[in-house]
Amino acid sequence: MNQDPIFIKAGERLLEYLRGELVPTVLGTPDMIKLAYPGQEEEFRLGLFLYDMEEVRPHGPPGMTRLSEDSRRFPDLSLAMRFMAFANRKVAFHSMEMADELLMMEGVFRAVHGSSGLELDGQKLKLRFYPLTQGEKVSLWQSLGSPLQGAVYFTLEPIPVPSSRIQRIPPVRAVEIHANHE
């Protein structure tokens, strides 16, 4: 696996997928959907905000990978990226009406629900809804300095983060065993 910035590649892959699903039926042009944060004053209609990441270990902690007789690489990380799709209510010149916002949110719901899996560097990624409680949503939006707004919350996983940490382990040259027979 190469060492390109994996988070940027994952975000771009997500944008590519959503643009394919939403343009031109829901959004007129591809530049109307961007990776952004709520409150950002730019010309886009639909924003994707990465609000959380966490390590995913479906089968417990992985072991080290043997590179040679005397070196091991620490395990790769597997992360879940948590996004929310939101309507940019601060779009300046092409004002957005409530019907436009509802149409976009429905389009995102359909895209997430209809996803059969994305690929990143040959690995299958799952795009699925991530349920938040009302309190969690309020806390998230308050932390952004905005009132609660309709949004679609979803997860993209597993994002593989290759380890570059290598440990040298000297090979065992001799072993002495002493047995005491009584």
Side-chain angles (χ1 to χ4, degrees):
M1 206 176 272
N2 58 25
Q3 296 296 324
D4 290 339
I6 195 72
F7 296 157
I8 291 173
K9 289 170 64 175
E12 288 172 352
R13 181 64 188 104
L14 178 60
L15 272 175
E16 177 187 318
Y17 171 71
L18 289 175
R19 284 177 176 153
E21 294 292 313
L22 302 175
V23 176
T25 56
V26 177
L27 297 169
T29 60
D31 61 337
M32 288 289 110
I33 180 173
K34 292 187 177 188
L35 292 171
Y37 57 88
Q40 191 169 336
E41 294 188 26
E42 263 188 54
E43 282 298 306
F44 65 92
R45 289 187 174 267
L46 183 65
L48 299 176
F49 176 61
L50 173 66
Y51 68 89
D52 193 24
M53 289 182 281
E54 72 177 356
E55 187 175 5
V56 178
R57 290 186 177 180
H59 307 294
M64 295 177 76
T65 304
R66 183 181 180 144
L67 299 175
S68 66
E69 184 179 308
D70 64 346
S71 62
R72 308 286 184 273
R73 187 179 73 202
F74 279 78
D76 297 340
L77 286 176
S78 183
L79 297 179
M81 297 175 80
R82 309 238 189 272
F83 288 92
M84 73 174 179
F86 65 95
N88 181 18
R89 294 180 175 172
K90 297 195 181 224
V91 66
F93 299 109
H94 308 293
S95 63
M96 187 179 312
E97 296 179 13
M98 192 60 190
D100 298 328
E101 187 173 333
L102 292 173
L103 181 64
M104 284 189 304
M105 293 300 106
E106 180 184 347
V108 174
F109 262 105
R110 288 177 185 269
V112 172
H113 180 67
S115 170
S116 61
L118 307 173
E119 267 194 38
L120 180 65
D121 291 339
Q123 179 165 342
K124 279 281 220 193
L125 302 177
K126 289 183 266 181
L127 187 61
R128 59 183 177 84
F129 294 109
Y130 188 70
L132 293 176
T133 65
Q134 190 71 13
E136 290 170 327
K137 291 175 187 178
V138 168
S139 293
L140 175 60
W141 281 95
Q142 282 179 344
S143 71
L144 298 168
S146 297
L148 181 63
Q149 176 178 328
V152 179
Y153 304 90
F154 56 91
T155 299
L156 183 62
E157 67 179 311
I159 306 297
V161 180
S163 175
S164 58
R165 189 171 160 202
I166 296 175
Q167 180 179 34
R168 277 190 46 84
I169 300 172
V172 176
R173 299 286 181 213
V175 175
E176 286 185 33
I177 300 175
H178 299 280
N180 204 1
H181 295 291
E182 293 185 29

